[in-house]
Amino acid sequence: MGILIIAEHDNHILSESVLPVVSAATQLGKDITILVAGQDCHKVAEQAASINGITRVWLAEAEHYQHQLAEELAPLIVDQVAKGINHVMAPSSTFGKDLMPRVAAMLNVEQLSDITVIVSEDTFVRPTYAGNVMATVKCEGPVKVITVRTTAFEPVNVRDSAAEIISINAAPKLGVSEFVEGIVTESDRPDLNTARVVISGGRGLGDAESFKLLEKIADQLGAAIGASRAAVDAGYISNDHQVGQTGRVVAPELYIAVGISGAIQHLAGMKDSKVIVAINKDPEAPIFEIADYGLVADLFQVLPELSDALSK
């Protein structure tokens, strides 16, 4: 039973999201292949080859794979399935959510999203209704096409030795889509998906200027900054910070929610955090129902006090 993991990367660095996907794959079998498709990305293949638990790395390099467009990658993946692949897996990130439904459609099988538990080789658990219901789903198709909720599986380690890297032929360029521009937000803070501490702001902050209060505390804690959809929609911060059902799903050791009421869509993206701290002036805010520690107070008074305390 072959398992194929699609690597997310930027042609230089392998995304850390691959590590928990490998962890999930090891529960299905031992014949695990990672597919690295890109341009001039042999270093990424070497990083993938050092991951514990994998058997081999397939490397496909071509100019039309440079930006990992789903329309170009999907035919390549479908070609590899014929080599005895039973499971195709990717992280439940923007990358995976864009790519895997297209792969499933080309294979004429169902696609299973956001799995959190593996029951057997054809049965999985996934959240639905914004995480309020955990559905156990059995897939009867010949190939299981899966995205993995990375916060649900412990990342595997890397090793000193390396798996074999095998170059494979690229699929022909389709040219049905084109990469126009990439706008990347650069920050010295940890990545939101993998940060040990996350501090998020909501509409209660009032404006974009007030997010600077969070930035100072984030720097003091070595934390990533998140936001509710309401804050993003209001233009306080860019949407790559959004935590929730339609944003990032995070599970840090500490999650601090500031001025966030706790809409069900936001809770779906952070309720698996180890410790949740909520600061809100509304004692009836739903966020307090899941918070381990709650403070009913004015955030504009509390945040400067917290920053001063951390400075000491």
Side-chain angles (χ1 to χ4, degrees):
M1 181 176 68
I3 303 163
L4 179 62
I5 296 172
I6 314 304
E8 182 176 2
H9 62 89
D10 63 358
N11 291 306
H12 304 287
I13 299 174
L14 184 71
S15 170
E16 293 184 6
S17 65
V18 175
L19 301 180
V21 178
V22 174
S23 179
T26 58
Q27 298 182 29
L28 290 167
K30 295 183 179 180
D31 186 11
I32 301 172
T33 303
I34 294 181
L35 172 62
V36 175
Q39 184 180 29
D40 299 326
C41 57
H42 198 276
K43 288 185 177 179
V44 176
E46 292 175 350
Q47 295 166 35
S50 68
I51 298 174
N52 271 330
I54 73 159
T55 308
R56 67 189 68 81
V57 174
W58 286 339
L59 173 62
E61 294 185 288
E63 184 179 355
H64 54 282
Y65 295 148
Q66 179 180 1
H67 301 292
Q68 296 190 295
L69 299 177
E71 293 82 358
E72 298 292 354
L73 288 184
L76 173 68
I77 295 167
V78 171
D79 287 347
Q80 308 318 307
V81 169
K83 299 177 181 179
I85 298 299
N86 301 103
H87 295 80
V88 183
M89 308 176 75
S92 188
S93 58
T94 303
F95 167 77
K97 291 176 181 178
D98 182 33
L99 173 64
M100 299 303 266
R102 187 176 297 272
V103 172
M106 294 181 69
L107 292 170
N108 197 29
V109 299
E110 64 271 29
Q111 192 254 314
L112 186 60
S113 300
D114 224 19
I115 67 163
T116 58
V117 177
I118 295 174
V119 179
S120 68
E121 65 181 44
D122 63 359
T123 306
F124 309 88
V125 177
R126 64 174 299 272
T128 186
Y129 294 109
N132 287 298
V133 175
M134 303 304 289
T136 300
V137 181
K138 184 174 183 178
C139 297
E140 297 182 347
V143 180
K144 282 65 175 176
V145 180
I146 300 165
T147 60
V148 177
R149 177 170 288 196
T150 55
T151 57
F153 296 90
E154 286 294 325
V156 296
N157 298 318
V158 296
R159 59 188 175 191
D160 293 331
S161 58
E164 182 182 12
I165 300 174
I166 303 170
S167 293
I168 62 174
N169 293 328
K173 180 179 179 179
L174 295 181
V176 296
S177 63
E178 179 184 355
F179 179 83
V180 177
E181 182 183 14
I183 300 175
V184 180
T185 302
E186 296 188 5
S187 173
D188 293 331
R189 300 188 183 95
D191 180 74
L192 185 57
N193 286 102
T194 57
R196 293 176 58 251
V197 180
V198 174
I199 180 167
S200 286
R203 189 160 46 191
L205 282 161
D207 54 41
E209 185 70 19
S210 298
F211 261 83
K212 292 181 179 179
L213 295 172
L214 299 190
E215 292 174 1
K216 184 175 181 180
I217 294 173
D219 291 338
Q220 290 173 305
L221 293 174
I225 292 181
S228 68
R229 178 171 179 172
V232 171
D233 287 348
Y236 300 168
I237 196 168
S238 60
N239 62 2
D240 55 314
H241 294 87
Q242 182 177 324
V243 173
Q245 185 178 14
T246 54
R248 308 279 194 100
V249 176
V250 301
E253 295 179 19
L254 173 62
Y255 188 89
I256 305 174
V258 181
I260 295 175
S261 62
I264 189 172
Q265 291 84 359
H266 184 77
L267 301 186
M270 46 67 70
K271 65 181 181 181
D272 291 331
S273 304
K274 307 301 184 294
V275 177
I276 299 172
V277 176
I279 302 172
N280 200 299
K281 66 180 180 181
D282 179 9
E284 303 298 324
I287 191 73
F288 289 125
E289 295 179 10
I290 67 162
D292 298 285
Y293 300 94
L295 178 60
V296 179
D298 184 345
L299 65 89
F300 295 103
Q301 177 182 344
V302 169
L303 292 182
E305 291 177 354
L306 174 59
S307 180
D308 289 343
L310 291 171
S311 298
K312 298 175 182 177

